[in-house]
Amino acid sequence: MLVTYTAPTTVYIHIPFCTNKCHYCDFNSYVLKGQPVMEYLDALEREMELTVKNNPPVKVETIFVGGGTPTVLLPNQMERFLQMVRTYFPADSTKLSSRWKLIREQRMKTSLQS
């Protein structure tokens, strides 16, 4: 049987942090407070590098980011995460930047209100 390889066009990235753990949630997620977020981002970057090395994408059309609640990342953590995504999974940077800019602005408003 001949198996052919098709380069991926979609990527799912899991950010497993939330402000609280909902009783109905079955996802692998953790309350953000006290979690090693930067260490997680280090490991995530290593995983992205290996993934791209072993399964290079031709053109990424969609990037799903889920988890938890990815927008709980602090601004510096979000910037690092976005830089990693841009580095390993180049997509239409205009779409990506505008969507994440809105999320970042909403996150900063929330931080200022608390």
Side-chain angles (χ1 to χ4, degrees):
M1 175 178 189
L2 180 65
V3 177
T4 57
Y5 168 77
T6 304
T9 60
T10 60
V11 175
Y12 173 78
I13 303 171
H14 191 76
I15 304 293
F17 306 112
C18 296
T19 55
N20 56 31
K21 182 71 172 171
C22 299
H23 70 278
Y24 55 83
C25 180
D26 287 334
F27 292 105
N28 179 20
S29 60
Y30 306 91
V31 175
L32 179 67
K33 186 174 182 172
Q35 294 297 324
V37 176
M38 294 308 282
E39 290 86 347
Y40 180 82
L41 292 175
D42 291 341
L44 183 60
E45 184 167 20
R46 288 190 300 275
E47 184 69 22
M48 287 180 180
E49 182 179 13
L50 288 171
T51 298
V52 169
K53 181 179 177 182
N54 294 324
N55 300 297
V58 175
K59 179 183 177 189
V60 175
E61 295 174 4
T62 306
I63 299 173
F64 297 100
V65 181
T69 308
T71 56
V72 300
L73 295 179
L74 297 174
N76 66 315
Q77 296 165 341
M78 182 64 79
E79 286 297 326
R80 172 139 186 249
F81 171 71
L82 292 174
Q83 184 57 47
M84 291 166 24
V85 170
R86 284 187 212 97
T87 299
Y88 295 103
F89 304 108
D92 183 338
S93 60
T94 305
K95 289 179 186 175
L96 184 64
S97 295
S98 63
R99 289 183 185 141
W100 283 103
K101 182 179 178 191
L102 177 62
I103 290 170
R104 193 169 50 236
E105 288 170 358
Q106 290 170 344
R107 171 73 176 127
M108 295 193 65
K109 282 181 189 176
T110 303
S111 293
L112 292 174
Q113 292 172 355
S114 52

